[in-house]
Amino acid sequence: MDLSSINPLVLLASIMVASTPILLAAIGEMVVEKSGVLNLGVEGMMITGAVCGFVIATETGSPAVGFIAAAIGGAILALLFGFLTQYLLSNQVATGLALTLFGLGLSALIGQSYVGIKAPVTSNLHIPLLADIPVIGRILFQHDMMVYVSIAIVAAVWAVLKFTRAGLILRAVGESHDAAHALGYKVVRIRMLAIMFGGACAGLGGAYVSLIRVPQWTEGMTAGAGWIALAIVVFASWRPWRVLLGAYLFGGVTVLQLNLQAAEVPVPVALLSMSPYLITILVLVIMSINRGRAALGAPAALGRVFHASH
Amino acid sequence: MNRRSILAGAALAFGLAGAVFAQDKTKVGFIYVGPIGDGGWTQHHHEAALEMQAHFGDAVELVYQESVPEGADAERAITQMALGGADIIFTTSFGFMDPTVNVAAKFPNVKFEHATGYKTADNVGVYSARFYEGRAIQGYLAGKMTKTNKIGYIASFPIPEVIRGINSAYIHAKKVNPDVEFSVVWAYTWFDPGKESDAAQALIEQGADVILQHTDSTAPHAAAAKAGNVYTFGQAADMAEYAPMPRISSIIDVWAPYYIERVQAVIDGTWESDNTWDGIGAGMVGIGEISDVVPADIRAEAEALRDSISSGAYHPFTGPLNKQDGSAWLAEGEIADDGTLGGMNFYVEGLTGDIPN
């Protein structure tokens, strides 16, 4: 065992990189669920974002344009889900699952001729002054742009939900669509916007994998990150900062266990390997002790079909 | 004649037509563990399958299912394929072993071929390549090329095939560089680019400057390219898109001739259960071009090692070799038998860490 070979600064920095895709997808899904819609297609939207971002970034040579394309790609796929569930009133669970399968297939098709190509390099920001602070500078202020964008999105979502009228309406729609409808709010329109926001965030998360974390295009490369994002939303009991905590905890344990293995810490590998999931379940259990569904924060109308005639 | 009997008649007619049709064509099925575009293991199997199909042309119909998880779901996928009228089904991952054997018992007329496993039956054959021969060359190059004397190894699952690879690479790295250390990370996945990339990064951050992988994607190469001055090896496929740096050589699986031979046997009605385990000599394992980054003399020696393994003059597991706990395994000049290699569940002396169970 050689724990000294793990550099905590480098470790923390790589944790932030490993967590960002799940964080982006989870914060988007949280907004969707806050509006009362359960979209299980996160994985499909992520992988679509991953391929759109990669294709556009390699074609234009600009990762920034790639990320924008990824957000648009994810949002378009989400729009499909929104149309089916909000206008045609299809079952949300089934449609979400179908969206994942569709996204995986579609991305494989789009990405066929992009396997093995290298993505343009995304440079790390070197924020003047802040980046030069010893210790903290290395951990916090020398990342690529998207790490900060993801945190900014979390902060924005928190502020909007907590302080603005728009946030209040979104929550009202998620808690009781009938009441919101009676008050004159356009339930379907609001949900469509939330769904598109969720798709755009998932797309960004996917593109972060294909453009920065890995960076390359391979079929099925998100490998279940979308499902983890869904779990993190529940784990966070639908609160933005807890989504951040959950994503960093999960990403952190994932990276940490690989580092511990590389340092040959005498802990059974099987245990290390399942630790991210184990800890997620554990925290979930602790948080839900003696509390009901309402206390957990699930929107009351989550997953229920709304039709104005009801 | 009522409507139901017309339908039944139509169904029968279709059924018969289907049966006649099926006699013309041999239906060959493939079950893959990853997506066919993974850039490694599965893609290579699929390309070999396409080559096989091109060889037979219209005589063969190819069906496949990708990204089949190892475990209970695999049994469903294989059953589905057998019900779909496949004449021979190749299942191309170690974890498909028990599902394959289970399904095979229910379909005695369908032939099954399981890659990298060891359980056979009357209608189940197994095939694998002696990847450890290629690992010997990788180990040699790794030992010669490392400057930090630390070599990272991304392992997938603790199964004999993977352990064999680690041992073979270590023995040959150690032989040319006594100071070399191996750091093994078990990813518990065959394919997860994000995780493979994280694993490579963790190893690089801890000082490894050569990364060997037994997982299927090219993500570790991308991570190494980003870090710079780190060498990697293509796994299952040449992964030449990362040559000359970081990829300095590769193990290439060559499955097509085997697939053609076995499908031909089905067509001829001569198929029998087999246990094929071929290496460099038989052409089942190819060594990708050693890139120019490697100095010419080292390259020549690596190629000499390859040739001596190919001709059978040298076996990568030749004594004296001890097990990790120091107990004797092979005496001077003794060569490991296939039985021990097939079930290898121990590290050789010098490797640190434990094999998870």
Side-chain angles (χ1 to χ4, degrees):
Chain A
M1 178 170 89
D2 186 13
L3 270 183
S4 62
S5 64
I6 301 179
N7 180 344
L9 303 184
V10 178
L11 178 69
L12 282 168
S14 35
I15 284 175
M16 289 179 84
V17 170
S19 310
T20 299
I22 327 172
L23 173 61
L24 281 163
I27 193 71
E29 177 65 12
M30 196 207 79
V31 170
V32 178
E33 293 191 12
K34 269 285 183 193
S35 80
V37 179
L38 182 65
N39 185 356
L40 293 181
V42 182
E43 177 82 3
M45 300 185 298
M46 276 186 91
I47 193 80
T48 306
V51 76
C52 289
F54 189 85
V55 167
I56 300 297
T58 39
E59 292 300 334
T60 61
S62 157
V65 178
F67 275 110
I68 293 166
I72 294 171
I76 289 174
L77 200 66
L79 208 57
L80 185 68
F81 170 87
F83 178 72
L84 290 171
T85 57
Q86 301 306 306
Y87 291 99
L88 304 181
L89 306 184
S90 68
N91 181 296
Q92 292 181 5
V93 172
T95 312
L97 292 173
L99 195 71
T100 290
L101 296 175
F102 176 64
L104 287 169
L106 181 72
S107 62
L109 185 70
I110 298 174
Q112 253 171 8
S113 53
Y114 290 88
V115 175
I117 293 177
K118 285 171 202 146
V121 178
T122 314
S123 51
N124 284 351
L125 287 183
H126 197 90
I127 301 168
L129 296 177
L130 288 178
D132 300 327
I133 304 172
V135 186
I136 300 174
R138 177 75 179 86
I139 301 171
L140 293 180
F141 300 112
Q142 291 186 20
H143 287 289
D144 54 89
M145 195 62 202
M146 285 309 291
V147 169
Y148 306 108
V149 170
S150 68
I151 296 168
I153 290 177
V154 173
V157 165
W158 168 76
V160 167
L161 284 179
K162 195 169 168 78
F163 299 117
T164 70
R165 188 172 172 78
L168 196 63
I169 296 169
L170 184 84
R171 281 189 287 151
V173 168
E175 292 300 334
S176 167
H177 45 224
D178 292 326
H181 177 66
L183 287 170
Y185 295 122
K186 309 280 185 209
V187 174
V188 170
R189 191 181 302 165
I190 291 161
R191 284 189 172 164
M192 286 300 282
L193 289 173
I195 290 167
M196 282 175 68
F197 177 78
C201 285
L204 285 178
Y208 193 84
V209 179
S210 67
L211 287 176
I212 297 175
R213 186 174 169 213
V214 171
Q216 58 171 222
W217 166 249
T218 315
E219 260 180 54
M221 69 182 307
T222 46
W227 300 108
I228 302 295
L230 277 163
I232 296 228
V233 175
V234 182
F235 171 99
S237 49
W238 292 268
R239 288 185 198 151
W241 292 114
R242 284 200 194 168
V243 167
L244 182 86
L245 183 76
Y248 276 29
L249 189 65
F250 185 85
V253 179
T254 307
V255 170
L256 184 66
Q257 70 98 354
L258 292 170
N259 271 281
L260 290 177
Q261 277 198 46
E264 294 181 354
V265 174
V267 178
V269 173
L271 199 67
L272 284 176
S273 184
M274 67 180 173
S275 56
Y277 309 94
L278 214 58
I279 287 176
T280 308
I281 295 170
L282 205 67
V283 177
L284 214 56
V285 169
I286 292 169
M287 288 195 336
S288 54
I289 288 172
N290 292 331
R291 288 201 242 170
R293 185 180 155 93
L296 263 176
L302 182 60
R304 282 171 43 203
V305 173
F306 170 76
H307 187 264
S309 66
H310 286 187
Chain B
M1 202 179 199
N2 61 19
R3 195 187 304 165
R4 187 172 296 168
S5 61
I6 293 175
L7 283 178
L12 198 64
F14 273 120
L16 285 175
V20 171
F21 192 64
Q23 271 172 1
D24 286 340
K25 278 196 171 192
T26 304
K27 199 166 186 177
V28 182
F30 280 84
I31 301 277
Y32 302 129
V33 71
I36 54 169
D38 68 352
W41 175 262
T42 296
Q43 187 170 335
H44 228 62
H45 275 288
H46 187 59
E47 279 165 7
L50 293 175
E51 214 176 311
M52 179 273 299
Q53 194 195 21
H55 174 83
F56 289 107
D58 285 340
V60 159
E61 185 190 349
L62 176 68
V63 289
Y64 63 89
Q65 193 172 352
E66 49 184 331
S67 298
V68 176
E70 298 182 329
D73 206 36
E75 202 159 323
R76 184 193 56 77
I78 302 166
T79 305
Q80 196 80 24
M81 203 167 263
L83 285 174
D87 298 297
I88 179 167
I89 297 174
F90 294 89
T91 56
T92 64
S93 187
F94 180 80
F96 297 153
M97 181 161 66
D98 289 331
T100 304
V101 172
N102 292 346
V103 177
K106 286 182 239 157
F107 294 90
N109 293 325
V110 180
K111 318 291 184 224
F112 293 85
E113 293 264 358
H114 176 240
T116 70
Y118 51 83
K119 288 187 184 169
T120 56
D122 282 346
N123 61 334
V124 181
V126 292
Y127 64 104
S128 185
R130 295 179 184 268
F131 304 115
Y132 65 86
E133 296 184 352
R135 291 283 173 199
I137 295 150
Q138 289 189 353
Y140 172 86
L141 286 170
K144 283 281 190 187
M145 295 301 283
T146 181
K147 292 185 186 67
T148 59
N149 293 331
K150 220 170 163 189
I151 288 159
Y153 203 114
I154 305 170
S156 43
F157 294 95
I159 57 172
E161 186 202 323
V162 177
I163 295 165
R164 233 169 16 236
I166 297 171
N167 282 332
S168 176
Y170 179 75
I171 291 166
H172 294 87
K174 185 87 175 172
K175 210 177 256 178
V176 295
N177 183 349
D179 297 326
V180 85
E181 270 177 51
F182 267 47
S183 207
V184 182
V185 167
W186 297 92
Y188 276 95
T189 178
W190 289 111
F191 176 79
D192 181 344
K195 196 169 187 182
E196 291 169 48
S197 171
D198 287 344
Q201 210 145 346
L203 289 163
I204 293 167
E205 280 164 11
Q206 295 191 23
D209 65 349
V210 181
I211 304 284
L212 275 62
Q213 68 179 97
H214 205 133
T215 48
D216 299 348
S217 91
T218 48
H221 298 262
K226 207 157 71 170
N229 288 328
V230 175
Y231 304 110
T232 56
F233 294 90
Q235 161 69 4
D238 196 21
M239 301 188 177
E241 59 268 29
Y242 286 95
M245 267 293 276
R247 172 220 162 276
I248 52 172
S249 183
S250 59
I251 293 177
I252 307 171
D253 307 349
V254 187
W255 302 116
Y258 181 76
Y259 288 158
I260 291 168
E261 180 196 324
R262 299 304 282 171
V263 171
Q264 187 66 53
V266 171
I267 294 171
D268 298 344
T270 56
W271 190 95
E272 274 181 359
S273 171
D274 67 333
N275 190 340
T276 300
W277 199 19
D278 284 338
I280 300 176
M284 209 177 226
V285 174
I287 301 299
E289 195 195 354
I290 301 168
S291 71
D292 296 342
V293 180
V294 181
D297 54 328
I298 298 176
R299 216 180 321 152
E301 284 170 43
E303 280 162 3
L305 177 63
R306 176 195 67 194
D307 295 341
S308 67
I309 293 173
S310 173
S311 68
Y314 172 69
H315 191 289
F317 289 105
T318 303
L321 284 172
N322 291 342
K323 295 186 180 179
Q324 189 182 27
D325 57 16
S327 62
W329 174 35
L330 296 174
E332 176 83 41
E334 196 185 345
I335 287 172
D337 61 287
D338 280 359
T340 314
L341 289 181
M344 187 174 256
N345 57 0
F346 58 87
Y347 278 153
V348 293
E349 192 173 42
L351 277 163
T352 48
D354 295 321
I355 300 173
N357 43 23

